[in-house]
Amino acid sequence: AQKITQTQPGMFVQEKEAVTLDCTYDTSDPSYGLFWYKQPSSGEMIFLIYQGSYDQQNATEGRYSLNFQKARKSANLVISASQLGDSAMYFCAMSPMDSNYQLIWGAGTKLIIKP
Amino acid sequence: DTAVSQTPKYLVTQMGNDKSIKCEQNLGHDTMYWYKQDSKKFLKIMFSYNNKELIINETVPNRFSPKSPDKAHLNLHINSLELGDSAVYFCASSRNAGFSNTEAFFGQGTRLTVV
């Protein structure tokens, strides 16, 4: 079964520290995409970063990087130098080719940055 | 310019009413979607249209009817609203039929409250 697991329902992190949000996925499809989205309290869904299953290098976007370990089927999001504005829900999602690249979502992790 | 815009952002209405949520994308994408996010933050796809044709229709009450007058618009009409319809509804669009790359964006969400 295709599934995304985010094991951390909530996290508290001190401002300026790096934070790693866990995401593991399950698929037998060789072709898939992995996404991270941020949902602040205002409610919008903001795209952060994408990793294709065939990409050789880990994706990076500014302070965000995706630690892609294909053999372990993990796609952890790393936020460097966390800021108060990083407090939000974070969703990991997968789009397997077998599902016509439709998004399969994790349950989300609520991240709170402490000043 | 907002890539995917949906209106209204908030909608409070009484049970039994009929309401519509509008969505427009100015990205030239071929595919548009409607997602429902419940109170537990779980995201579930409802519908997907590719070039104005319905390609995904998940198990959704037939009180929900999507309408795509053109490729840039996908509106959601809900008849006889029920308390359980209260949720955040997201519109999204992608270049292709599915989230196979980063060319995928979400609207800001519509928080529907049925009283």
Side-chain angles (χ1 to χ4, degrees):
Chain A
Q2 294 170 336
K3 190 180 175 183
I4 288 276
T5 302
Q6 294 181 253
T7 56
Q8 306 149 312
M11 283 184 76
F12 287 90
V13 172
Q14 201 67 38
E15 190 181 8
K16 298 181 185 174
E17 286 183 354
V19 56
T20 297
L21 303 180
D22 294 341
C23 174
T24 58
Y25 59 92
D26 190 11
T27 182
S28 56
D29 197 330
S31 177
Y32 50 90
L34 294 159
F35 297 77
W36 277 94
Y37 285 88
K38 173 184 179 181
Q39 187 175 37
S41 57
S42 50
E44 66 266 37
M45 197 67 75
I46 303 167
F47 166 76
L48 294 179
I49 198 165
Y50 167 85
Q51 180 87 40
S53 60
Y54 292 118
D55 293 344
Q56 296 293 319
Q57 292 189 321
N58 286 347
T60 60
E61 291 283 349
R63 292 187 300 114
Y64 303 108
S65 59
L66 198 150
N67 185 0
F68 180 43
Q69 298 192 31
K70 198 169 182 177
R72 290 186 175 183
K73 294 189 176 179
S74 77
N76 298 341
L77 176 71
V78 180
I79 307 174
S80 62
S82 59
Q83 303 170 356
L84 295 178
D86 293 333
S87 295
M89 281 288 288
Y90 288 82
F91 292 95
C92 180
M94 169 177 66
S95 59
M97 185 177 73
D98 274 356
S99 299
N100 295 318
Y101 297 109
Q102 295 308 315
L103 286 174
I104 299 167
W105 295 87
T109 295
K110 188 174 177 70
L111 175 64
I112 297 175
I113 306 298
K114 299 183 293 182
Chain B
D1 274 347
T2 305
V4 181
S5 61
Q6 52 182 109
T7 55
K9 187 169 167 65
Y10 300 98
L11 181 55
V12 181
T13 187
Q14 289 187 324
M15 279 175 57
N17 283 352
D18 302 339
K19 290 293 179 186
S20 291
I21 307 172
K22 295 185 177 180
C23 180
E24 176 182 4
Q25 53 96 3
N26 61 6
L27 300 162
H29 284 173
D30 286 337
T31 309
M32 296 184 72
Y33 311 80
W34 277 107
Y35 283 86
K36 179 180 179 181
Q37 186 178 38
D38 62 24
S39 58
K40 294 183 178 178
K41 301 291 187 181
F42 182 70
L43 279 139
K44 183 177 170 58
I45 190 166
M46 301 172 70
F47 303 101
S48 174
Y49 269 73
N50 180 261
N51 275 319
K52 297 192 337 177
E53 289 191 18
L54 181 67
I55 56 172
I56 291 176
N57 183 3
E58 292 293 317
T59 305
V60 173
N62 57 15
R63 298 181 293 105
F64 290 80
S65 54
K67 287 184 172 48
S68 183
D70 55 58
K71 203 172 77 164
H73 294 85
L74 181 62
N75 303 324
L76 183 65
H77 189 75
I78 316 170
N79 289 329
S80 303
L81 277 155
E82 300 177 357
L83 294 177
D85 297 332
S86 296
V88 180
Y89 293 85
F90 284 98
C91 177
S93 75
S94 63
R95 178 172 294 282
N96 303 315
F99 289 73
S100 59
N101 51 48
T102 58
E103 292 277 348
F105 299 91
F106 280 77
Q108 76 271 33
T110 296
R111 183 175 294 278
L112 171 66
T113 303
V114 182
V115 298

